[in-house]
Amino acid sequence: YPNPVTDMVTVAYSGSDTLKSISLYDVTGKRVAMLNAPDAQTVIDMKDYAAGVYFVQLISNRATTVKRLIKK
């Protein structure tokens, strides 16, 4: 949150298992950022990214979740 984002976005993970990584992809599928072993609540600085649609991939021990994120 927030979504849409202008500068900083907070990614919060509430699953019962351990979060292993967070990846950020642009609309073409190119990975533009990756955080290994992040905290359950992680802040990503997006002020230098172009406006558009991005996808946040959360990988835990048991599941992978992808959420859409809009950068203004």
Side-chain angles (χ1 to χ4, degrees):
Y1 54 88
N3 191 9
V5 61
T6 53
D7 292 329
M8 305 289 246
V9 63
T10 300
V11 178
Y13 179 73
S14 60
S16 60
D17 54 336
T18 304
L19 186 60
K20 292 170 62 176
S21 69
I22 297 174
S23 293
L24 183 65
Y25 295 89
D26 66 14
V27 74
T28 67
K30 177 183 173 189
R31 184 169 59 199
V32 294
M34 182 174 180
L35 301 161
N36 288 315
D39 294 328
Q41 188 166 315
T42 302
V43 176
I44 301 173
D45 183 356
M46 294 192 65
K47 68 180 174 223
D48 294 331
Y49 291 96
V53 176
Y54 292 85
F55 297 94
V56 179
Q57 180 185 50
L58 306 169
I59 300 175
S60 70
N61 289 335
R62 292 187 283 179
T64 298
T65 304
V66 177
K67 299 289 184 179
R68 185 172 60 115
L69 180 65
I70 298 170
K71 167 71 164 77
K72 284 187 175 183

